[in-house]
Amino acid sequence: MRLCISRSKNAASLYVTKSIYENGRRSTKVVEKLGTYAELKEKLGGQDPIEWAKKYIEELNKKEKEENRDIIVKYSQSKVITKGEQRSFNGGYLFLQKIYHELKLNKLCEKISLKYKFTFDLDSVLSRLIYARIIYPSSKLATFQLSTKFIEQPDFELQHIYRALEVIAKEADFIQSYLYKNSLKISKRNTGVLYYDCTNYFFEIEQEDGLKQYGVSKEHRPNPIVQMGIFMDGDGVPLAFAINKGNTNEQLTLKPLEEKILSDFNLSKFIVCTDAGLASDSNRKFNIKGERAFITTQSIKKLKTHLKEWALDPNGWSLVGDRRTYNIAELDEDKYKDKVFYKERWIKENGLEQKLIVTYSIKYRDYQRNIRDSQIERAQKAIDSNPGKIEKCNPNDYKRFIEKKRCTDNGEIAEHQIYRINTELIAKEAQFDGFYAVCTNLEDDASSIININRRRWEIEECFRIMKSEFKARPVYLSRDDRIIAHFTTCFISLVIYRLLEKKLNGKYTCHEIIDGLRDMNFLEVKGDGYIPIYTRTDFTDDLHEAFSFRTDYQIVSKSKMKKILKSTKS
């Protein structure tokens, strides 16, 4: 702060002013009006007002350097705020920025920039694409506009985002391996078990082109799709991904990505866990080589007759830690409602020897029955209300329980098509209620294998987060390289989010975390600092504790905010 004297024809006025910087420009702010020279001289009893003012400002500058000083902010009831001036900024991204720099993604951008001749700041573009994907998920145009909401303003143009996407696509494999190696430095990675699954993302277009092809859509939409395969580690943190054409058989996607992990990630000993849709004999045989193994879901309905009969036989079931065998048809349901029974045997088919483990749970049985009862109720409503609109359905649709006939029970041809509930199909499905099976080449006990397979839900949650919270679909990009880059940024965002989730010890849901970061807004007081306008909660307390800095003071001074910004980049 310094003294400013404003002279007019009749008087000289003394002010305390300070320099402030906005968007790289320097300006001056009046901190306090001290009075006119004559007024001060009279008030000070003849003392020189200028000398007094210099000493007064010297004291103010000393106090400003104190960390815990009070900051007095003056507002006028008559002064209108400046039109078009942004006053509110998001600070929730600072916690993402801390992880971004711990992963040394800024250094990654430097390495990539050395390979290409461009002048824009790739680090600035990539970081904003990631922070916005988590906090303000939207299109690339909207991301450019929304990135101005962060305390640190973007220093790139919209065209630079699209140019950066081309570079990110070319370096997608390098980014994944770099990300994994640096994640080891900030968090232990459980790579003893790797989970793999596929999903697809639709485009709101009708024309196939490049990666965008018609295939089996998870959302049952009549649009071209691309397919994404992800490997996740045993703690739920994504490891690697690949983008394939929408019409690719998902069973063919596992080996190429796994080979990439073997070569680029220096991993050789792990268990691959997949669902039944990825459980081809070829994939199983690929994962019995070296020190690798597999655990995969097995459809009981597709087992050979003698194995299906063995799996559904009520006799010969075991409980972990209990030497007795049980008949599941004679169980006390209240006593054993939360128990999981199992039986196991080795089988050899198509030159592959593997252990088949079947589990039975009363709770799982009741869950399946409730789902089916709800579907039967919907099917009956469809028959009663408007059967003419009943069309073909997929194997899990409630419409599968609707039977269509053109003849009566007496064999006579009916004038109109008859719709009714297919009781035979219901009974056929009911016999599998409560049963679940996996196959593996491991010789471990059944309980440990069941526990490993149980965590497959986390990879399904990864896809749900990307589709729902990160709004990765529908995809509005058309060029293949930009599509790959889009999913690369979504993947990095997911890794950063999962690491943040681990820092918070899994105490909060995805919705709570993302909403909490989005709500961490600040009112900027020009030249003085930032006033938090969010509600302090257990979540914000845990966040500050995990990252060792706080933003929840009544006002965060400019100097303190600079220290926070610096700490998030160290």
Side-chain angles (χ1 to χ4, degrees), residues 380-478:
Q380 188 61 58
K381 283 182 180 178
I383 292 172
D384 295 339
S385 60
N386 198 349
K389 288 192 175 182
I390 296 171
E391 301 172 354
K392 291 182 180 180
C393 62
N394 66 63
N396 297 315
D397 197 313
Y398 73 93
K399 295 174 186 175
R400 72 185 185 280
F401 294 120
I402 300 174
E403 187 179 18
K404 306 171 189 177
K405 285 190 174 183
R406 282 201 173 274
C407 62
T408 65
D409 292 337
N410 298 325
E412 298 177 356
I413 297 175
E415 184 176 349
H416 301 288
Q417 198 166 34
I418 298 171
Y419 297 88
R420 65 184 181 187
I421 297 296
N422 189 336
T423 54
E424 290 182 9
L425 178 59
I426 293 170
K428 187 176 179 181
E429 286 195 11
Q431 67 178 322
F432 297 100
D433 288 349
F435 294 93
Y436 187 86
V438 297
C439 280
T440 181
N441 65 322
L442 293 169
E443 296 183 4
D444 301 42
D445 60 89
S447 61
S448 63
I449 291 168
I450 292 167
N451 286 334
I452 291 172
N453 186 70
R454 190 174 286 153
R455 296 201 65 176
R456 271 199 320 103
W457 66 270
E458 289 185 287
I459 195 164
E460 293 170 3
E461 186 186 48
C462 284
F463 289 136
R464 184 194 63 76
I465 290 170
M466 278 203 288
K467 290 183 176 182
S468 301
E469 303 295 342
F470 292 179
K471 293 182 172 57
R473 61 172 186 181
V475 185
Y476 295 107
L477 300 163
S478 58

Side-chain angles (χ1 to χ4, degrees), residues 120-122 124-126 128-129 132-133 138-148 153-168 476-477 479 482:
F120 63 87
D121 188 343
L122 180 61
S124 183
V125 175
L126 179 62
R128 268 55 189 176
L129 286 172
R133 179 56 53 189
S138 52
S139 68
K140 300 299 176 282
L141 172 60
T143 294
F144 173 69
Q145 296 166 340
L146 290 167
S147 62
T148 60
Q153 296 296 287
D155 56 354
F156 54 86
E157 300 172 12
L158 178 61
Q159 59 163 319
H160 297 144
I161 290 182
Y162 293 104
R163 290 179 62 193
L165 292 178
E166 299 169 22
V167 177
I168 292 167
Y476 295 107
L477 300 163
R479 285 172 39 176
R482 291 178 178 177

